[in-house]
Amino acid sequence: MLKSGLLRLSESPTAKRIITRAPLSRSFAQRFVAGDTLREALDAARALNEAGLSVSLDFLGESVATRDEAEEAARMAIEILEAITREGLNANLSIKPTQLGLDIDEAFCRANIERVLSRAAELGSAPGEIFVRLDMESSAYTERTVALVEGLWADGFTNVGTVLQSMLRRTPEDVARLTALGSRIRLVKGAYQEPDTVAFPDKADTDRVYVESMKTLLEAGTYPALATHDEQIIDAARRFTWERGISKDSFEFQMLYGVRRDLQTRLQEEGYNVRVYVPFGDSWYPYLMRRLAERPANVVFMAGSVMREARSDGAALGKPALAIGAGFLAGLAAAVAWRRRR
């Protein structure tokens, strides 16, 4: 019920106003979003690179309503690619199809994506182009996104892949479909509210499909991205690759900016490739709410994460960190109370 409520709040303009205006809520959000500007995101990416971590940059936004907005999103995507090359960063790009106009016109969206992919290919250096990931949105877009990747590959754009969600019942078929293509896949659990006819209602089934799909992808050798903070699944991946003699260089773990930085560092020190998903921009509210909804315990976990890291940096930071976490939780509580009154 809490997950469902969080997802509904992510789509509510009123809840957005309450939470974003709550004292220090924005400060809390900035713990998990690199900033409003590309410059801030690039600085965050450089710091992560210096720590041995690669990056996927994502300019937040989705479901644009006009062609001008979609074209501006494509322009920003190209600006990010050019900045990655100019500053010599170990980074790729994540974009959402609806941000580039999928809801407006599919051919128009594809033309925008092709502009981005063409520029990524031009800017890339050996061994190939800068990789671009089409983020997966709700199940209403799954078939269109998978088909979009297939069509792009058929036309020679092999520097693109997408994301599959283990919560969806169709995912094993999509894994086979995109693996046959040779496309790189980011595997996630999923963060959208879906009907039981489309998605598994039980977490155990989502986890089971994740592990099964993960093993298929690891054996296929298409450099999958295992996007999870679930240590049981991470341990399962480590055991499976060790037992099968699968190289650590043939896949990567992916984690979110600001979440489990201790685990990111530990895996990197053990010789695994680790990529951090770095979102930026002022459209942080729906992104953060979906991250909380993925596992409602994240509401407390994220607040605790801020405070734990503050304590490790010195007792003087403890009170500000506590205030940041408390401010966000207060905003969330107000939004939940508003929702219940409706």
Side-chain angles (χ1 to χ4, degrees):
M1 290 179 64
L2 181 55
K3 176 179 179 179
S4 176
L6 288 167
L7 289 172
R8 290 193 179 95
L9 289 175
S10 74
E11 301 170 353
S12 166
T14 303
K16 178 181 179 179
R17 284 197 302 274
I18 293 171
I19 290 178
T20 56
R21 292 178 181 179
L24 297 175
S25 286
R26 189 176 184 86
S27 296
F28 183 91
Q30 287 177 340
R31 172 65 171 71
F32 307 100
V33 176
D36 287 351
T37 68
L38 176 56
R39 181 69 264 162
E40 290 171 308
L42 295 172
D43 290 343
R46 182 168 301 283
L48 290 164
N49 282 179
E50 290 173 353
L53 304 166
S54 56
V55 165
S56 183
L57 290 170
D58 175 29
F59 178 59
L60 292 170
E62 57 195 73
S63 300
V64 301
T66 70
R67 288 176 177 263
D68 286 346
E69 289 176 310
E71 289 173 348
E72 175 60 21
R75 186 203 62 76
M76 172 58 83
I78 290 171
E79 185 178 344
I80 294 169
L81 293 171
E82 292 171 344
I84 288 171
T85 301
R86 181 179 65 249
E87 305 209 6
L89 296 173
N90 179 1
N92 62 30
L93 173 68
S94 290
I95 54 177
K96 286 183 171 60
T98 63
Q99 191 178 22
L100 273 70
L102 186 57
D103 284 334
I104 299 168
D105 177 81
E106 193 161 327
F108 169 68
C109 174
R110 173 159 172 160
N112 282 331
I113 292 173
E114 287 184 3
R115 285 173 51 209
V116 174
L117 296 178
S118 295
R119 189 60 177 140
E122 292 170 357
L123 292 168
S125 58
E129 311 100 326
I130 299 175
F131 183 72
V132 177
R133 182 91 60 182
L134 301 185
D135 278 343
M136 188 61 73
E137 301 173 75
S138 71
S139 63
Y141 299 99
T142 303
E143 177 57 33
R144 279 184 282 175
T145 303
V146 171
L148 188 55
V149 171
E150 290 175 326
L152 290 164
W153 269 65
D155 288 342
F157 293 100
T158 58
N159 58 332
V160 65
T162 190
V163 183
L164 296 179
Q165 305 170 74
S166 67
M167 69 182 289
L168 298 183
R169 297 180 184 274
R170 61 173 288 162
T171 290
E173 295 178 7
D174 289 333
V175 166
R177 188 170 160 184
L178 291 176
T179 297
L181 190 68
S183 176
R184 288 162 58 175
I185 296 169
R186 176 198 290 151
L187 185 64
V188 303
K189 291 187 180 182
Y192 290 88
Q193 183 71 14
E194 305 285 2
D196 291 355
T197 54
V198 170
F200 298 109
D202 296 328
K203 179 181 180 296
D205 289 318
T206 296
D207 290 352
R208 173 182 55 79
V209 172
Y210 192 104
V211 172
E212 291 171 356
S213 299
M214 173 186 77
K215 292 178 178 179
T216 298
L217 293 170
L218 288 168
E219 289 192 312
T222 53
Y223 197 76
L226 309 180
T228 182
H229 305 100
D230 188 325
E231 290 195 65
Q232 288 186 323
I233 288 179
I234 290 170
D235 287 343
R238 294 159 81 189
R239 286 194 304 272
F240 184 77
T241 53
W242 181 80
E243 291 168 356
R244 299 300 176 96
I246 296 171
S247 169
K248 292 180 180 178
D249 291 332
S250 66
F251 69 99
E252 66 186 27
F253 290 110
Q254 290 194 2
M255 298 187 186
L256 300 174
Y257 180 74
V259 180
R260 290 308 308 269
R261 292 191 288 199
D262 58 328
L263 184 55
Q264 296 171 18
T265 300
R266 187 165 79 240
L267 290 169
Q268 187 271 332
E269 290 174 347
E270 291 176 1
Y272 292 98
N273 295 329
V274 180
R275 186 177 303 275
V276 180
Y277 185 88
V278 178
F280 73 99
D282 57 10
S283 298
W284 56 266
Y285 172 75
Y287 167 82
L288 184 62
M289 295 302 289
R290 282 199 297 271
R291 298 293 76 77
L292 297 178
E294 284 176 330
R295 183 170 177 266
N298 284 343
V299 175
V300 176
F301 167 75
M302 285 187 170
S305 178
V306 173
M307 290 181 278
R308 282 195 302 274
E309 291 199 12
R311 283 197 298 269
S312 71
D313 289 338
L317 296 179
K319 288 183 178 179
L322 178 61
I324 290 170
F328 180 82
L329 291 174
L332 182 61
V336 170
W338 164 82
R339 182 82 197 179
R340 287 174 176 169
R341 287 195 300 270
R342 290 191 64 193

